[in-house]
C-alpha cells in the first residue's frame, strides 16, 4: 500500500492548500545552551513527580532534552550547542578552564541537532560526574572566572553566520544569583566588570543573552544582585522580569519551556478601526497542526535525494509548454479564459488590512463558526505610537461588555470574515497560561455551512426528547466522569510520536522499534470504578430500558437494515455456494479461469476479500489469498 | 373552494390526471439531480429588493451550470399583472401567477431571464404560487423523485392571502402541506423584511408568518427571515452538496454503554474553483481541442542530472534533523501507528475549560442514528444535561479503518428548539501538545503607563463598542455567518458570466451589497458618528519618529483632525523627539566615522558626560578594525587597521581596560585564521603588536613573556593547520 505521511495525517477533506499552515522561516536560529554545572545546581532540589526530588541540574537538562526533540521536528535547520560551565574537565576551542562543550561524533560544536546528539544527551546525567564533573569555577585565589569564560566560549561559538540571517541566542541556566558573592574587594569589582563587559560585547555583536533563573527554596533568585546589569534590564523591563517561582519540578519545567522558544510573528497588519484611525498589530500563529514534514524522494539504489522536475504538456498536441499564464473554466459549453492577474484581482475585495465592521455579543459566536486554527494578535507601537493604548482600551471594554468584534481580513489569497475575541491574561504557578490579546477566529460564509440537522428532521412527527429523569441520570453520570484538570493540548500526538520514534531508531540503526505510549486512550481503570459503572448502568437503564440488546438498534431503521440484510444474505449465500467447489484443486490445475465471475466472487465474498476488478484480477486475488 | 388543484382532491385523482407520470424526462433523473422551482414575488412592495433577487437567482443558475449541469429549474412569478398558468386554464382562479419558464434543464437563457424580471402590479398571494408550483411538479414527475424536488419561495409575505370559500386559511395550508410531504417536495421560504416592512400591516404579517410556520411543521419546509439585501444573498443555498457521513457507528461512553451516531461535516469551506491550465498550442481550426495541459513529473538524481529515475526505483525519505531516513512503504506499514476505528469518550469537563480559540478545523456534527429512537433519546439526554451543567465532552475519534492518526476533540451540545429536529452535538478538533506554541507576552498592566488608557479613553471605548453594534435587540443580526455570502466567489461568478458574453470584460467592481461585508456599513457609521468622533478625539496616534521614511505608509491614512496637538495624551514620543534633537545639536562625537576613525575614537574616549562613551568607543573601534581587515583587498587597508589597533591599545591602557584589548586581539587573530586572512596576523607580528601586559595595566592577566610569545604561538598554530 502506498502511504504518504501527508495522507496519513490528513482527513478526507483536509485543505491541500499549504500557504496558510506553513510558517515562513525567514531566518534560522543559533542557540547556545549554557548550563551552570556548579555543585549548587546539584544540591538544590525541588519536589518532582512521584514524590521524588529532582535537582536543578536535572530540571535544566531535561528541559533542553525536550527542546532538542521539538527542534529536530519543527525547526531542524536551527543550530545548537550545549555548553556546561563550572565543570572539572574542560573542553572548548579556547581551552578555557571550567567550560565543557558537550558534543557527539560527526557534528560540529554548533550544528544542527542530530539523532545521536539527542540520544546521548538523554543520558548525560549518568556519566556527568565521571566525564565532566562539577566544580565551582570562581575563586578569589585563582583569578579564574568560569562565567566569563563560558560567555566567551558561547560568543565564539556564535560567530558563525551573519547577524542578519540568523537569530543568535545564549540561554543561560543557573540558580546562582550572585556568582561573585564569595569574593571580596577589588578582585570582585574586577571580575564583575570584565564579565559584564564580556556580556555586553556579545550583545553588541547581535547576540541575545537570555537568563533562565532557577529559584532556590530558601530564597527567590535576586536578579538585581548581578544579572540585571548583565542583561541590560532597566526600569520597566526589570519589573517585567519575573524569576521562575515554581516550587514544583513540573512548574519549573513548564516555565523554562515557555521561555526557551523565541516569539515569531507571522506578519504585521494594520487594523482599521474607523475611517482614518488605524492601529498596528502583530499576528502570531500560536496554534497550528504539526505534521511529520515533507518527504524527500530518494533513489532506492544509492539513497541519494532526487530532484523533481515538473513539465507541462499540451494535451492536444503533446508539445512541451511553459508554465501557462492562463487558466480556464468551462461554462455554458465554452472555455472562459482568465489570466493570473484577473484572478488575483477578483480575490482582491478589500485592502490588505483588517477592517473593523462592528461588535456583537459573545453568544452570537456559535460553536460551528469555525474553519481553521485561530491567529493571535497583539498590539505594537513600533510604527504607530498609541496603538497599544487603543488596543488595551478596546480589549478591556470587550471583556467587560462580553462582546467580540467582527472584522474583515483582506489578505490577498484568502480574504475572510473574522471574529476577534478578547482573551484575558491567565497566569498560574507555571507562568502565563493564556497571554492577553485577541484571537482572530476565521468565520465561515453561508456557502460553507451545511444544514445537516434539517436533513434528518422528522416530518409530521415529534422527535423523541429526553425526559427530566433521563437528563437527571445523565447529569449524575457527568458528575462521575469529570476530568477536573483537563487542559487543552495535554496529549502528545501518538501518531507523530510514533513517527519520530521510528525515524530516530532508524537513523541510529537500532533494531528494536520503540514502544510509544498512547496517552489518548480512555482511562479504563477510572471507568471501571464502581461509582462510574453504577451511574452508567442507571443512565443506560433510563434511556434504553430493560432487556436492551445491541441488535435492537436496527429495529426501527428500515432503510439501513434493508441494505445490510441484503449484504448479509449475499455473504451467507456465497459461503454456502463456495463450499461446492474444490478451490485448491481448481487453482492447482489452472482451472480457475474456466469459472464465471459470479462463481469466483463466491470465494472472494466468503473470504471477505474485495470483489472489484476484472476476472484476471479476481483470479490473482484468489491465488494470493491461497498463498500460491 | 379556492384551491381546486386536482392533486388536492386526493391521491387517486392525481394519479389519474397524470398518466404521463413516467415521462422520459424523469427516468433520466440521476441520483443527485435536483428539480427546482423558483417562486418569486414581484409585487409592488418587492420592487426595491428585486435587483438582489435577480442577482442571487442568477448566481444559483450559474453554479448549476458549472456543478450540476443536469439539474432542472423552472420559474413562477406572482404578483404580476398577467396570469399565465395551467391551473387557471384547467380549473380557474390562480390569477396574477405567471409561469415564466417550465421545469427544464438549466441553460444560459434561464440566467438571462432572471436578470430582467418583470415588475408586477398587484400584491402577491404566495399560497397561490405554491399550489401552481406543486401542480407543475406533480404533473411532471408524479410520485417519483422524492426529496429531489424543491420549491424556493422568495417573498416579503406582506400581502394578504385570499380567503378560501370554505374553511380557514390554516385549514388550506394543512390541506396543501399533506400532498407536499407525500410527494417529497421540499420548500425553502425566504421572507425578506426590510425597513419598509416596519409600517406594514401587522395583522397580515403575523397571519402570513403563522401560515408559513404551519408549512415548517407539517412539511419538509424551512422558513428564514432576512432584513438586509446582503443576508438575502446569503440566505439562498446556491449550491447543493449532498452530505456524506464521516463516521457511522458507536459513540462509546464506556465499553458497556454505547450510542449509535452518524457524524457529518457541519462546516466545510467552499473553495475558489480550481481552473484548468490553458494551452493555446492547438490549431484554431481544431474544434475538438481540449486546450488542457497535463503536468508530468520526472525524478532525476542529484548526481547525474541527465539520468531519470523510474518511479518504482524511488523510495521515500523522511527528514530527521540533518539526516534523511529512507523508509519503504512496506516498512512503514509494519511500524506505523494503527489505531482501531472507534469514537470513545474520555470524560466530561467544564465548558469554560476549553477556550474558543483552540478549535482547530472545520466543524463536525454528531447526530443520533436517524430512526433509532433509543439513540435519539440517549443523545438528547446527554446534550440537555451538558447544556444544563455547562459541560463539554472530550472524545477520541478514529473515523475510519486504516486512519493513521487520532483526533482529540470537544463535543458541545446543540439543543434543538424545533419539535421535529432531534438534539445533536457539534464536534471541534483540539490541538495536541505539539501543535501549541507557548509564546510569552507582557501583561498589559506591566506596560508603560503612557500606554494605559485613562478613564475617559476607556469610556470612549465602551461607548464605541455599545454603539457599533451589529446585533441590536429587535433587529436582524448583521453579518451572521449563516447568511453572509462569500464576496470573492460572488465576484468570480459574476465575472465569469460577463466574460461568457464579452471575453475581454474587466473584473467588475465589488457591488454595494457585498461591500457591506468588507467595509463597515455606512449607515451604521453615520448613526454612531458622535461616538466615533469622541473616540478619535480621546486617542491619539502618531507616527513613530524614529522610523525610516520607507516604512511610513500609514501616514497617508491619518485624518487631518487627529494630527492636531493632543495635549499631554500619550506624548512619550514627543519627549523622545526632543531628546533626539538635543543630541543631534551637540557637536560631540558619537560614533567612529570612516574619515578620521582615530580622532573620533580619541574624542569619544575623552567624553565625560557619560561613562558609557568609553565602552562604546572601544566597541565601535573594534568593529571598525574588523571591517577594515575583512574588507581589505590584498592588504590595502592593513595599515589603517594597524593604526586603529595601536590607538585602541593606547586607549585601553589609559582607561585601564587591558582585557578589552587582549581579548579582542585574540579574537581578531583567530578570526583571521579562520577566514584565511592570516596575512594580517603576519603583518601584526612584523609590526610588533603585543597584548597589554601586567606592567602596562594592573588588571591584565598577561605576563611579559606571554605577551611576547603570543604572536609566535599563533604562527605556530597556523603552520600546524597547514
Amino acid at each position: 500500500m502506498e502511504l504518504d505521511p501527508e495522507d496519513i495525517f490528513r482527513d478526507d477533506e483536509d485543505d491541500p492548500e499549504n500557504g496558510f499552515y506553513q510558517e515562513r522561516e525567514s531566518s534560522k536560529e543559533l542557540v547556545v545552551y549554557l548550563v551552570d554545572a556548579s555543585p549548587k545546581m546539584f544540591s538544590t532540589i525541588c519536589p518532582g513527580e512521584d514524590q521524588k526530588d529532582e535537582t536543578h541540574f536535572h530540571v535544566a537538562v531535561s528541559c533542553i532534552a525536550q527542546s532538542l526533540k521539538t527542534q529536530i521536528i519543527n525547526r531542524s535547520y536551527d543550530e545548537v550547542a550545549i555548553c556546561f560551565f563550572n565543570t572539572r574537565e574542560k573542553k572548548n576551542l579556547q581551552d578555557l578552564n571550567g567550560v565543557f562543550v558537550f558534543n557527539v561524533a560527526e557534528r560540529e560544536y554548533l550544528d544542527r541537532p542530530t539523532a545521536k546528539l539527542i540520544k546521548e544527551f538523554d543520558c548525560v546525567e549518568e556519566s556527568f560526574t565521571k566525564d565532566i564533573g562539577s566544580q565551582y569555577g570562581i575563586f578569589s585565589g585563582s583569578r579564574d572566572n568560569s562565567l566569563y569564560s563560558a560567555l566567551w566560549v558561547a560568543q565564539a561559538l556564535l560567530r558563525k553566520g551573519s547577524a542578519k540571517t540568523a537569530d543568535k541566542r545564549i540561554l543561560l541556566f543557573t540558580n546562582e544569583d550572585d556568582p561573585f558573592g564569595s569574593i571580596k574587594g577589588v578582585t570582585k569589582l574586577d571580575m564583575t566588570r570584565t564579565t559584564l563587559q564580556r556580556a555586553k560585547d556579545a550583545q553588541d555583536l547581535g547576540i541575545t543573552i537570555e537568563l533562565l533563573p532557577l529559584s532556590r527554596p530558601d530564597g527567590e533568585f535576586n536578579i538585581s544582585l548581578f544579572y540585571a546589569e548583565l542583561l541590560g534590564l532597566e526600569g520597566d523591563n526589570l519589573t517585567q522580569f519575573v524569576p521562575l517561582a515554581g516550587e514544583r519540578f513540573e512548574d519549573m519545567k513548564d516555565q523554562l519551556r515557555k521561555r526557551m522558544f523565541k516569539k515569531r510573528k507571522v506578519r504585521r497588519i494594520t487594523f482599521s478601526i474607523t475611517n482614518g484611525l488605524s492601529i498596528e498589530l502583530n499576528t502570531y500563529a500560536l496554534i497550528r497542526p504539526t505534521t511529520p514534514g515533507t518527504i524527500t524522494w530518494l533513489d532506492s539504489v544509492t539513497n541519494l535525494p532526487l530532484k523533481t522536475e515538473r513539465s507541462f504538456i499540451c494535451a492536444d498536441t503533446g508539445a512541451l509548454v511553459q508554465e501557462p499564464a492562463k487558466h480556464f473554466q468551462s461554462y455554458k459549453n465554452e472555455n472562459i479564459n482568465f489570466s493570473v492577474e484577473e484572478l488575483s484581482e477578483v480575490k482582491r475585495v478589500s485592502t490588505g488590512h483588517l477592517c473593523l465592521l462592528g461588535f456583537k455579543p459573545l453568544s452570537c459566536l456559535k460553536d460551528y463558526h469555525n474553519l481553521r486554527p485561530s491567529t493571535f494578535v497583539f498590539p505594537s507601537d513600533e510604527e504607530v505610537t498609541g496603538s497599544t493604548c487603543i488596543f488595551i482600551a478596546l480589549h478591556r471594554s470587550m471583556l467587560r461588555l462580553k462582546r467580540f468584534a467582527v472584522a474583515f481580513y483582506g489578505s490577498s489569497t484568502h480574504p475572510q470574515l473574522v471574529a476577534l475575541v478578547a482573551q484575558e491574561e491567565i497566569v498560574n504557578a507555571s507562568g502565563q497560561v493564556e497571554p492577553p490579546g485577541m484571537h482572530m477566529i476565521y468565520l465561515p460564509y453561508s456557502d460553507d455551512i451545511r444544514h445537516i440537522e434539517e436533513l434528518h428532521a422528522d416530518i409530521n412527527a415529534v422527535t423523541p426528547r429526553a425526559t427530566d429523569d433521563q437528563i437527571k441520570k445523565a447529569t449524575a453520570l457527568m458528575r462521575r466522569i469529570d476530568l477536573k484538570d483537563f487542559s487543552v493540548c495535554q496529549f502528545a500526538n501518538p501518531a507523530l510520536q510514533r513517527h519520530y520514534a521510528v525515524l530516530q531508531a532508524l537513523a541510529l540503526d537500532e533494531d528494536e522499534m520503540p514502544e510509544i505510549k498512547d496517552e489518548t486512550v480512555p482511562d479504563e481503570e477510572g471507568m471501571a470504578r464502581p461509582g462510574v459503572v453504577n451511574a452508567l448502568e442507571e443512565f443506560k437503564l433510563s434511556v434504553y430500558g430493560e432487556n436492551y440488546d445491541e441488535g435492537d438498534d436496527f429495529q426501527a431503521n428500515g432503510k439501513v437494515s434493508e441494505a445490510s440484510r441484503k449484504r448479509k444474505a449475499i455473504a451467507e449465500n456465497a459461503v454456502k455456494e463456495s463450499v461446492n467447489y474444490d478451490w485448491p484443486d481448481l487453482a492447482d490445475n489452472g482451472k480457475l479461469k474456466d469459472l464465471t465471475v459470479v462463481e469466483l466472487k463466491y470465494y472472494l465474498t466468503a473470504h471477505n476479500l474485495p470483489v472489484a476488478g476484472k476476472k484476471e484480477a479476481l483470479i490473482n486475488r484468489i491465488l494470493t489469498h491461497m498463498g500460491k | 373552494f379556492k384551491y381546486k388543484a386536482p392533486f388536492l382532491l386526493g391521491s387517486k385523482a392525481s394519479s389519474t390526471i397524470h398518466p404521463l407520470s413516467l415521462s422520459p424526462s424523469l427516468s433520466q433523473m440521476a441520483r443527485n439531480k435536483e428539480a427546482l422551482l423558483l417562486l418569486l414575488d414581484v409585487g409592488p412592495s418587492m420592487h426595491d429588493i428585486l435587483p438582489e433577487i435577480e442577482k442571487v437567482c442568477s448566481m444559483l443558475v450559474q453554479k448549476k451550470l458549472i456543478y450540476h449541469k443536469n439539474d432542472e429549474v423552472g420559474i413562477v412569478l406572482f404578483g404580476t399583472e398577467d396570469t399565465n398558468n395551467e391551473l387557471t386554464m384547467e380549473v380557474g382562479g390562480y390569477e396574477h401567477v405567471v409561469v415564466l419558464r417550465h421545469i427544464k434543464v438549466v441553460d444560459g437563457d434561464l440566467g438571462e431571464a432572471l436578470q430582467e424580471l418583470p415588475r408586477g402590479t398587484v400584491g402577491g398571494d404566495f399560497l397561490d404560487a405554491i399550489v401552481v408550483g406543486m401542480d407543475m411538479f406533480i404533473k411532471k414527475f408524479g410520485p417519483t423523485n422524492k426529496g429531489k424536488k424543491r420549491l424556493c419561495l422568495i417573498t416579503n409575505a406582506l400581502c394578504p392571502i385570499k380567503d378560501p370559500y370554505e374553511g380557514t386559511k390554516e385549514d388550506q395550508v394543512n390541506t396543501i402541506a399533506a400532498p407536499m410531504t407525500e410527494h417529497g417536495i421540499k420548500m425553502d421560504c425566504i421572507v425578506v423584511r426590510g425597513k419598509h416592512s416596519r409600517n406594514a400591516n401587522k395583522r397580515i404579517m403575523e397571519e402570513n408568518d403563522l401560515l408559513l410556520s404551519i408549512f415548517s411543521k407539517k412539511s419538509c419546509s424551512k422558513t428564514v427571515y432576512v432584513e438586509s439585501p446582503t443576508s438575502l444573498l446569503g440566505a439562498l443555498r446556491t449550491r447543493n452538496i449532498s452530505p456524506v457521513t464521516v463516521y457511522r457507528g458507536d459513540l462509546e461512553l464506556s465499553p458497556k454503554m454505547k450510542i449509535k451516531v452518524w457524524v457529518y461535516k457541519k462546516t466545510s469551506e467552499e473553495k475558489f474553483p480550481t481552473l484548468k491550465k490553458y494551452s493555446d498550442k492547438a490549431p484554431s481550426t481544431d474544434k475538438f481541442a481540449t486546450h488542457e495541459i497535463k503536468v508530468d513529473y520526472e525524478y532525476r538524481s542529484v548526481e547525474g542530472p541527465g539520468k531519470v529515475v523510474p518511479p518504482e526505483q524511488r523510495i521515500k525519505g523522511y527528514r530527521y534533523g540533518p539526516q534523511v531516513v529512507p523508509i519503504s512503504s512496506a516498512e512503514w506499514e509494519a511500524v506505523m501507528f494503527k489505531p482501531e476505528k472507534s469514537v470513545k469518550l474520555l470524560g466530561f469537563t467544564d465548558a469554560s475549560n476549553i477556550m474558543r480559540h483552540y478549535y482547530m478545523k472545520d466543524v463536525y456534527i454528531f447526530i443520533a442514528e436517524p430512526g433509532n429512537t433509543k439513540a435519539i433519546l440517549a443523545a438528547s439526554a446527554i446534550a440537555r444535561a451538558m447544556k444544563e451543567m455547562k459541560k463539554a465532552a472530550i472524545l477520541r475519534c478514529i473515523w475510519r479503518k486504516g486512519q493513521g492518526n487520532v483526533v482529540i476533540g470537544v463535543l458541545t451540545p446543540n439543543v434543538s428548539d424545533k419539535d421535529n429536529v432531534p438534539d445533536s452535538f457539534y464536534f471541534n478538533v483540539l490541538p495536541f501538545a505539539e501543535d501549541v506554541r507557548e509564546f510569552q507576552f507582557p501583561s498589559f498592566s506591566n506596560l508603560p503607563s503612557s500606554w494605559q488608557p485613562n478613564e475617559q479613553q476607556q469610556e470612549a471605548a465602551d461607548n464605541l463598542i455599545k454603539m457599533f453594534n451589529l446585533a441590536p435587540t429587535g433587529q436582524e443580526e448583521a453579518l451572521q455567518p449563516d447568511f453572509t455570502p462569500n464576496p470573492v466567489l460572488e465576484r468570480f461568478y459574476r465575472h465569469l458570466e460577463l466574460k461568457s458574453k464579452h471575453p475581454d470584460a474587466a473584473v467588475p467592481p465589488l457591488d454595494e451589497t457585498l461591500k457591506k461585508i468588507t467595509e463597515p456599513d455606512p449607515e451604521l457609521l453615520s448613526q454612531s458618528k458622535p461616538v466615533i468622533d469622541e473616540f478619535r478625539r480621546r486617542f491619539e496616534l502618531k507616527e513613530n519618529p524614529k522610523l525610516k521614511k520607507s516604512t511610513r505608509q500609514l501616514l497617508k491614512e491619518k485624518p487631518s483632525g487627529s494630527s492636531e496637538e493632543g495635549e499631554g495624551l500619550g506624548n512619550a514620543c514627543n519627549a523622545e523627539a526632543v531628546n533626539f534633537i538635543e543630541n543631534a545639536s551637540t557637536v560631540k562625537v558619537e560614533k567612529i566615522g570612516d574619515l578620521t576613525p582615530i580622532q573620533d575614537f580619541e574624542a569619544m574616549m575623552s567624553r565625560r558626560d557619560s561613562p558609557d562613551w568609553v565602552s562604546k568607543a572601544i566597541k565601535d573601534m573594534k568593529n571598525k578594525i574588523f571591517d577594515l581587515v575583512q574588507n581589505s583587498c590584498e592588504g590595502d587597508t592593513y595599515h589603517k587597521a594597524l593604526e586603529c589597533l595601536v590607538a585602541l591599545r593606547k586607549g585601553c591602557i589609559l582607561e585601564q581596560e587591558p582585557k578589552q584589548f587582549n581579548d579582542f586581539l585574540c579574537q581578531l587573530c583567530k578570526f583571521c585564521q579562520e577566514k584565511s586572512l592570516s596575512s594580517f596576523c603576519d603583518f601584526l607580528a612584523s609590526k610588533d603588536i603585543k597584548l597589554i601586559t601586567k606592567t602596562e595595566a594592573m588588571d591584565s592577566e598577561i605576563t611579559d613573556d606571554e605577551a611576547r610569545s603570543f604572536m609566535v604561538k599563533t604562527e605556530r598554530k597556523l603552520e600546524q593547520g597547514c
Side-chain angles (χ1 to χ4, degrees), chain A residues 81 120 136 155 158 213 229 236 273 356 368 420 437 478 488 544:
Chain A
E120 292 198 7
Y136 199 57
Q155 184 192 329
L158 289 170
E229 209 177 340
D236 285 328
I273 291 169
L356 178 70
Y368 64 91
L420 291 168
M478 253 161 243
V488 172
Y544 287 171

Side-chain angles (χ1 to χ4, degrees), chain B residues 84-100:
Chain B
N84 175 15
N85 61 73
E86 281 185 24
L87 274 183
T88 240
M89 289 183 277
E90 286 167 16
V91 294
Y94 303 100
E95 287 97 4
H96 307 294
V97 180
V98 169
V99 177
L100 191 66

Side-chain angles (χ1 to χ4, degrees), chain B residues 249-349:
Chain B
D250 291 327
L251 162 60
E252 250 189 77
L253 301 187
S254 85
K256 282 193 186 136
M257 172 66 202
K258 299 168 186 174
I259 304 173
K260 290 263 182 234
V261 291
W262 287 12
V263 182
Y264 290 92
K265 281 267 170 110
K266 174 65 188 172
T267 60
S268 177
E269 195 175 338
E270 182 172 337
K271 300 274 164 51
F272 195 85
T274 334
L275 306 193
K276 288 181 179 140
K277 294 186 175 69
Y278 183 80
S279 159
D280 51 7
K281 291 280 185 239
S284 52
T285 50
D286 185 355
K287 279 185 191 150
F288 301 103
T290 59
H291 295 287
E292 283 177 25
I293 286 180
K294 280 191 279 188
V295 188
D296 200 47
Y297 292 95
E298 273 183 350
Y299 298 88
R300 290 169 195 276
S301 89
V302 181
E303 276 192 326
K307 202 183 129 217
V308 176
V309 176
E312 62 275 10
Q313 201 187 314
R314 294 175 310 167
I315 186 167
K316 277 172 184 162
Y318 296 87
R319 289 208 165 276
Y320 194 67
Q323 277 170 286
V324 179
V325 183
I327 309 179
S328 70
S329 302
E331 274 179 289
W332 247 134
E333 178 68 355
V335 295
M336 74 176 274
F337 182 65
K338 272 173 282 187
E340 228 172 276
K341 173 182 168 177
S342 62
V343 170
K344 289 180 178 170
L345 172 80
L346 297 188
F348 296 93
T349 186

Side-chain angles (χ1 to χ4, degrees), chain A residues 3 23 148 197 204 275, chain B residues 316 437 536 619 660 663:
Chain A
L3 286 168
E23 256 186 287
Y148 173 89
Q197 189 58 47
D204 290 342
N275 290 339
Chain B
K316 277 172 184 162
R437 265 148 262 188
R536 275 206 203 146
K619 187 192 101 192
Q660 286 267 5
D663 291 351

